[in-house]
Amino acid sequence: MKWLRPLLWAVLALFCIGIAVMVPRALDAYKTLDTERNATPTPTADTQSMFYVTVDPNNTPEPTPLVLKRGMENDAVKKMQQALKDLGYYEGAVDGQFGSGTAEAVTLFQSQHGLTADGLAGSDTLSLLYSSNAEKYVPTPTPTVTPSVIRKGEHSDRVTAVQERLQELRYYTGAIDGQFGGGTEEAVRLFQRQNGLDVDGIIGSLTLTAMMDENAAGIVITPTPDPATLPVLVNRDNPLDASFVPDNLVLLRNVLPSSLVYVKGSEIEGDPTAADALGRMFRAAANDGVTNWQISSGYRSYAYQKKLFDDSVDEFMAGGSTYASAVSSTRLTVADPGTSEHQLGLAFDITVPDTAIFKGTEQQIWLYENCWEFGFIIRYQEDKEDITGYLAEDWHIRYTGLPHSLTMRNRDWSLEEYIEAMEP
Ligand SMILES: [Zn+2]
């Protein structure tokens, strides 16, 4: 197909000639169109006298247009800019270019002098501007802007200011980055609860006023609490003695109003201080509109934990497991006797009546967000499984008291990490 190549060349050549002819024509057509579009009607003799003054043909070869407007560039504009600048209306460059800044200045000048504020500098505007009646720019007072709420998702300087203040008050330990994220929201909620405000994590005018008040209550977190007051650590490496029984256990049904929480077993006991904190916590939850709580477990004696453990081992062995494998299977979910926090009387399993899965319920979410303020911690968390040695348990809370629980929350520490950090 050798004949094809010359043919292609011929076509290509014709095509190029076509472009060479067509493009300039198209450009000319476009230019004409453009000129027509922008053209102002040719002034008649009468209108010409209105728009142009010819003072002295020798000194001003080009007539100076009396109406200065956007898009112009000449010395008249420059002179006007200087005058507007001297009076405080204009802050831009005195360059003779009539741009948007100049138009704005003209409009300002006009409105302050009772002229039609159109940004076109005609003879009325200009003669007033250059007269002794021209007044200096008086800024109109900006009306006080009611601050809109500051909430999660905002990224701004005012978020930075809030973070700095919350850090000062020790509610916030995250980065001061102006980004209103989960940590900032958490700190706002803490602040609100401890300052008697509605707890919603959103900064409205009430929260903002309280926060910026010089008497705003800060969290008291002792950086290094007395080791003697540190919470007791109970885990596989730190078991309790078989004989350990906490003092003054109280029956939860006797101390917690059934209107706040349903205690599943009539025999469930707990430490009195922890039980008192439970009462305050469920009352706060009710105030937040979260009710229908259940306590399914509290204090467990060593003997009871041993029975739970042995029963589970027996069950695995009945299913054909060896003793060793039955024990290791049991250990995944049941604590060895002596290694359960429930023996302290400070641990409780919180659930929702007649609900098999606690995770994801509004109660679980509320508990996770708020238990810390009442001295409780979510003891076994998903990202701490390697450290605690237990699978996550959303329902298991442990009373450590304040400020420990808040410090663990703020630092994102498990009890193991907290004890290690605090012990001398
Ligand atoms: Zn538990």
Side-chain angles (χ1 to χ4, degrees), residues 44-184:
T44 61
D46 276 343
T47 51
Q48 192 155 10
S49 64
M50 278 172 63
F51 282 89
Y52 297 91
V53 245
T54 315
V55 183
D56 179 346
N58 299 320
N59 287 343
T60 47
E62 300 272 321
T64 311
L66 260 192
V67 178
L68 304 179
K69 56 184 174 184
R70 242 181 122 157
M72 287 180 172
E73 180 175 358
N74 56 42
D75 284 346
V77 171
K78 197 169 179 178
K79 182 186 170 192
M80 180 187 71
Q81 285 173 328
Q82 189 59 59
L84 287 167
K85 192 162 196 156
D86 292 344
L87 293 168
Y89 293 92
Y90 182 63
E91 289 179 338
V94 180
D95 54 6
Q97 289 183 30
F98 200 129
S100 59
T102 308
E104 209 170 292
V106 171
T107 308
L108 264 181
F109 176 82
Q110 290 170 325
S111 65
Q112 196 162 309
H113 290 81
L115 298 165
T116 309
D118 55 8
L120 301 170
S123 56
D124 284 355
T125 301
L126 291 176
S127 54
L128 187 54
L129 176 63
Y130 299 135
S131 77
S132 55
N133 291 328
E135 287 164 17
K136 287 204 164 203
Y137 172 56
V138 182
T140 357
T142 329
T144 318
V145 181
T146 315
S148 57
V149 298
I150 310 172
R151 61 171 74 219
K152 200 171 172 179
E154 179 168 331
H155 188 181
S156 69
D157 288 346
R158 54 187 197 156
V159 173
T160 306
V162 162
Q163 288 173 331
E164 279 168 355
R165 180 61 175 149
L166 286 171
Q167 187 186 62
E168 203 171 70
L169 296 170
R170 284 171 292 183
Y171 291 94
Y172 183 67
T173 53
I176 306 291
D177 56 5
Q179 186 72 56
F180 198 131
T184 307

Side-chain angles (χ1 to χ4, degrees), residues 297-298 300 340-342 347-350 380 393 395-397:
S297 183
R300 285 184 212 151
S340 166
E341 283 195 319
H342 283 282
F348 305 92
D349 293 341
I350 311 296
Y380 305 114
E393 292 187 1
W395 59 88
H396 178 106
I397 58 170

Side-chain angles (χ1 to χ4, degrees), residues 134-325:
E135 287 164 17
K136 287 204 164 203
Y137 172 56
V138 182
T140 357
T142 329
T144 318
V145 181
T146 315
S148 57
V149 298
I150 310 172
R151 61 171 74 219
K152 200 171 172 179
E154 179 168 331
H155 188 181
S156 69
D157 288 346
R158 54 187 197 156
V159 173
T160 306
V162 162
Q163 288 173 331
E164 279 168 355
R165 180 61 175 149
L166 286 171
Q167 187 186 62
E168 203 171 70
L169 296 170
R170 284 171 292 183
Y171 291 94
Y172 183 67
T173 53
I176 306 291
D177 56 5
Q179 186 72 56
F180 198 131
T184 307
E185 189 184 44
E186 186 73 38
V188 171
R189 292 178 63 92
L190 274 175
F191 173 83
Q192 288 172 324
R193 188 175 303 289
Q194 305 224 337
N195 287 270
L197 298 154
D198 281 349
V199 182
D200 57 8
I202 297 169
I203 305 171
S205 57
L206 277 180
T207 299
L208 192 62
T209 309
M211 200 181 282
M212 296 309 170
D213 191 297
E214 57 176 318
N215 296 318
I219 283 187
V220 183
I221 293 178
T222 325
T224 47
D226 179 359
T229 69
L230 280 178
V232 177
L233 178 64
V234 176
N235 57 22
R236 290 204 175 91
D237 299 328
N238 300 274
L240 287 167
D241 195 82
S243 62
F244 175 83
V245 179
D247 295 330
N248 311 315
L249 287 171
V250 290
L251 278 172
L252 296 187
R253 277 202 180 173
N254 290 349
V255 293
L256 294 172
S258 58
S259 58
L260 287 179
V261 57
Y262 173 69
V263 181
K264 201 175 177 187
S266 57
E267 304 301 311
I268 297 181
E269 294 175 298
D271 173 271
T273 311
D276 182 60
L278 282 174
R280 281 185 288 110
M281 181 174 78
F282 290 127
R283 204 175 303 281
N287 286 339
D288 284 355
V290 182
T291 55
N292 200 27
W293 296 93
Q294 174 174 269
I295 298 177
S296 351
S297 183
Y299 166 69
R300 285 184 212 151
S301 66
Y302 184 93
Y304 181 72
Q305 191 66 32
K306 186 172 186 327
K307 184 180 183 313
L308 281 181
F309 193 88
D310 292 347
D311 285 352
S312 171
V313 171
D314 288 348
E315 209 172 303
F316 278 113
M317 287 176 75
S321 294
T322 61
Y323 176 75
S325 84

